Amino acid sequence: MHAFLLGVLVAAPLGPVGATVLRTGITRGFPPALAVGAGAITAAVLAWRRLPPGRTRTLILLALLIGGFILYRWLRDPAAAAIEAVNPAGTGYLG
């Protein structure tokens, strides 16, 4: 069942919005951002489990989570702005 759905998604035409997505480089922003977000959460969970309770663990967790969030937003925001810059009414593709 999943292979069929994947085949349908791969074979679907891109349309004007899909062409804009590929042209603007949005695909370069979201996958790295998701990887950074997942990596930050994974690092925080590992730090929580491996460090002894106390102030050091708290500061390390805060640094990991805040740093990961900042890096995630730095990678994600240009891609989100490129998506929002597409005017569906102007391209004739409303959904």
Side-chain angles (χ1 to χ4, degrees):
M1 177 74 175
H2 295 294
F4 171 74
L5 293 177
L6 180 63
V8 170
L9 290 175
V10 170
L14 289 175
V17 174
T20 303
V21 165
L22 293 176
R23 184 176 62 246
T24 57
I26 294 168
T27 56
R28 290 181 293 217
F30 280 110
L34 290 174
V36 165
I41 292 171
T42 302
V45 168
L46 290 175
W48 176 265
R49 290 181 180 171
R50 294 182 182 185
L51 294 174
R55 184 177 178 150
T56 304
R57 179 168 81 175
T58 302
L59 293 175
I60 289 174
L61 282 174
L62 282 173
L64 285 171
L65 292 173
I66 292 171
F69 179 74
I70 290 170
L71 186 59
Y72 166 79
R73 291 297 302 258
W74 180 73
L75 291 169
R76 180 195 158 276
D77 284 349
I83 290 172
E84 292 168 0
V86 175
N87 181 8
T91 61
Y93 185 74
L94 297 176

